[in-house]
Amino acid sequence: MRRTSLAALLIPGAFALGACTLGPNFSSPDAPRTDRYLADDQPSQLVSAGIPGGEAQQIVQSLDIPGQWWGVFQSRPLNGLIESALVANPDIQAASASLRVAQFNARAQRATLFPTVQAGFNASQNQSPASLQSPTADNATIFGLFTTGLTISYTLDLFGANRRAIESLDALAEAQCFQLEAAYLSLASNVVAAAILEASLRSQIDATKRIIAAQRETLGILRQQEGLGAITGADVATQEASLAQAETTLPPLEKALAQQRNLLATLTGRLPSERVAERFELTDLKLPQELPLSLPSRLVEQRPDVRASESSLHSASALVGVAIANQFPQITLSAGINTTSVTFGQLFAPGLMGSNVGTGILQTVLDGGALWAKKKAAQASLEQADAQYRSTVLTAFRNVADTLRALEYDALTLTAAVAAERAAATSFTIARRRLELGDTTYVVVLIAELTYQQALLTRVQAQANRLTDTAALFQALGGGWWNRDTDALPPGARSRCRPPAPATASLQR
């Protein structure tokens, strides 16, 4: 029995040495063969608007991205809000739990590489008919029966079905790891965007209040002139209507601001009834002087969504091998020992022990083409995963290209908006002075007032767009997850995905 059990344990190893792994061997797809994101010249210098929040920016090729990339805005409240969101947001917690599910599923599949050892015990009370001889020595018709045994079984993986299944689940776990990184990046980007929009709304509300105050002052001037008989009541009524129209623009802005505050509370895992202490103004957010631009060949390594799609492609490739291997025979080796006694005290007495050693071969002969169809389905799934991967890569490159153009043209827009605001403010001031002196008509003042109102709001929105574009670039390039200090996160929210190759330079904050 000792020699037989030893052989049963050694035979699987011998078969494994000669085993093969069927199906395609996966290799990472080549990066797109291009050295640029845009068909035309890529911007490298962004113009300055001459105001805080509109400084010149330089786009630096191959500049690495910090793990806490939002720190480039130099806002402590923003840093604290994002750090708390990464810990408390339920979507992050769900993605983290999904990662653990995938990892444990892969670990469970990995157990198929080892023999399965099972131990059992059975006890029963039996009564034999009086017409038959009792199996006990004392011829008792009522007796107990005790059985215990140990079984070792092992399924030979001659054609690599188990190994391919392990490979597939490992790839799915890796895909889930990158999906968790994508959730981190999306959450941080959403918090930054919400903070920028809140700051923009506050500036728009302040600007609107100043416009309303100016229109009320203008209305006071017109009423004085009406009392002197210099103008008619129609001009006063027109200004009253203009003032009322300006006042109607304030509640929607205040509503949007309240909704942004609710959004920030939700992103950080709080109820809307819980107050968010952090407040954001445009003057509190700084534009970084340097912006990174990764090489196109590195983008596919940095973007979590691309890496997750690549891992899904790897899993689909391994499942093709599983489907092919399932068409071949399955060989199972087994060995076991057992003992049976009518009394529990003699269960391990000499002469009561038995053993068995066996092998089984199972080959599907006729299944109506099910295995063939499953192989074809796995191959089609591989083609689908490949197409989805290429689509994800195209989307990633388009995101970077769109962001580069947004950075370029929004910088120009802000420059023009600042110039327009200054010119409109000067024109409005001159028109009001002339109106006070009776040197012009109210219509000229009204036109100048409306022009200044639009220019002021346009400048605020353009200033916020430059901040949003900066955040969008970091998001489009992958967010620097490979440089993040995961030890700062709770144990259940940490991920250890395979990082890309190190970059050549670091971003200076």
Side-chain angles (χ1 to χ4, degrees):
M1 274 303 300
R2 185 174 298 171
R3 289 194 297 271
T4 302
S5 298
L6 182 61
L9 293 175
L10 292 179
I11 287 175
F15 273 97
L17 292 176
C20 61
T21 305
L22 301 178
N25 293 320
F26 180 79
S27 60
S28 297
D30 294 332
R33 296 182 179 180
T34 180
D35 60 350
R36 58 193 308 109
Y37 294 100
L38 299 171
D40 301 326
D41 293 337
Q42 295 180 174
S44 58
Q45 296 285 344
L46 305 179
V47 298
S48 171
I51 62 171
E55 295 85 0
Q57 291 178 296
Q58 180 182 6
I59 299 177
V60 182
Q61 192 83 23
S62 301
L63 196 62
D64 202 8
I65 304 172
Q68 285 73 24
W69 56 267
W70 49 88
V72 299
F73 296 107
Q74 301 180 30
S75 172
R76 288 186 178 181
L78 179 61
N79 296 344
L81 200 63
I82 293 178
E83 290 171 2
S84 62
L86 293 178
V87 175
N89 185 273
D91 293 333
I92 294 295
Q93 296 170 356
S96 178
S98 297
L99 172 59
R100 295 195 299 275
V101 169
Q103 290 172 336
F104 284 121
N105 285 336
R107 183 179 298 180
Q109 183 64 33
R110 206 171 293 119
T112 59
L113 297 177
F114 302 93
T116 300
V117 180
Q118 294 178 311
F121 173 77
N122 182 54
S124 63
Q125 186 76 1
N126 305 277
Q127 181 177 7
S128 61
S131 59
L132 298 179
Q133 183 178 0
S134 172
T136 64
D138 56 0
N139 292 322
T141 57
I142 299 177
F143 58 92
L145 188 64
F146 302 91
T147 304
T148 186
L150 185 70
T151 303
I152 301 176
S153 62
Y154 182 76
T155 300
L156 297 180
D157 194 23
L158 292 179
F159 306 102
N162 290 339
R163 281 168 286 166
R164 287 301 191 193
I166 294 169
E167 180 184 351
S168 174
L169 289 175
D170 282 339
L172 288 180
E174 185 177 54
Q176 195 61 54
C177 183
F178 286 115
Q179 288 177 10
L180 176 57
E181 289 296 352
Y184 282 136
L185 177 59
S186 177
L187 176 60
S189 300
N190 288 339
V191 173
V192 171
I196 294 173
L197 182 54
E198 177 187 326
S200 173
L201 288 170
R202 291 190 188 279
S203 295
Q204 292 181 56
I205 289 173
D206 291 341
T208 302
K209 288 180 177 178
R210 292 198 303 270
I211 291 169
I212 292 174
Q215 289 194 341
R216 285 175 178 167
E217 187 176 351
T218 301
L219 179 59
I221 296 173
L222 292 177
R223 284 173 175 169
Q224 291 178 359
Q225 293 187 351
E226 181 189 19
L228 297 175
I231 61 174
T232 64
D235 291 335
V236 175
T238 301
Q239 177 60 19
E240 289 175 343
S242 178
L243 173 60
Q245 186 176 6
E247 290 175 337
T248 61
T249 63
L250 185 58
L253 293 174
E254 293 175 332
K255 179 188 73 172
L257 177 59
Q259 291 174 342
Q260 284 302 115
R261 300 295 293 174
N262 294 338
L263 175 60
L264 283 174
T266 303
L267 291 174
T268 53
R270 313 176 205 179
L271 294 173
S273 58
E274 301 179 51
R275 185 177 300 276
V276 178
E278 294 83 359
R279 292 168 55 90
F280 299 99
E281 303 281 352
L282 285 179
T283 54
D284 298 331
L285 301 171
K286 310 300 180 184
L287 274 179
Q289 296 181 357
E290 292 183 343
L291 293 177
L293 184 62
S294 304
L295 292 173
S297 59
R298 284 184 54 82
L299 184 66
V300 295
E301 299 181 18
Q302 295 178 178
R303 289 265 301 211
D305 56 342
V306 175
R307 294 290 295 274
S309 183
E310 178 187 333
S311 297
S312 297
L313 176 61
H314 186 181
S315 175
S317 172
L319 289 178
V320 173
V322 172
I324 295 175
N326 285 339
Q327 295 179 309
F328 289 83
Q330 297 181 8
I331 302 176
T332 303
L333 304 178
S334 62
I337 57 174
N338 61 80
T339 178
T340 303
S341 175
V342 294
T343 61
F344 183 80
Q346 296 182 348
L347 193 59
F348 297 99
L352 298 179
M353 185 172 293
S355 64
N356 64 81
V357 177
T359 183
I361 301 178
L362 183 64
Q363 170 64 54
T364 301
V365 178
L366 185 65
D367 65 351
L371 291 177
W372 175 85
K374 289 179 180 179
K375 183 187 73 173
K376 290 298 184 181
Q379 292 172 340
S381 295
L382 178 59
E383 295 176 2
Q384 178 188 21
D386 177 68
Q388 290 173 339
Y389 171 80
R390 289 184 281 110
S391 175
T392 303
V393 171
L394 290 175
T395 301
F397 275 73
R398 179 175 61 84
N399 290 157
V400 177
D402 289 347
T403 304
L404 289 174
R405 285 304 183 211
L407 284 165
E408 179 183 13
Y409 291 119
D410 284 345
L412 295 173
T413 300
L414 179 58
T415 302
V418 170
E421 180 192 3
R422 290 171 177 170
T426 302
S427 175
F428 182 38
T429 301
I430 294 174
R432 288 186 60 194
R433 289 176 180 174
R434 293 181 61 189
L435 180 63
E436 292 175 358
L437 298 174
D439 188 36
T440 187
T441 63
Y442 162 70
V443 175
V444 174
V445 177
L446 180 60
I447 294 175
E449 188 176 46
L450 295 176
T451 302
Y452 173 64
Q453 174 184 359
Q454 186 60 46
L456 182 58
L457 295 177
T458 299
R459 190 268 301 167
V460 170
Q461 293 169 354
Q463 190 175 358
N465 285 342
R466 288 204 61 181
L467 292 167
T468 302
D469 295 340
T470 298
L473 179 62
F474 283 99
Q475 182 180 14
L477 295 177
W481 55 269
W482 54 95
N483 291 323
R484 190 181 64 244
D485 181 14
T486 56
D487 293 335
L489 298 174
R494 297 174 186 173
S495 62
R496 297 288 184 182
C497 305
R498 289 186 296 111
T504 57
S506 299
L507 181 62
Q508 301 295 325
R509 296 185 184 178

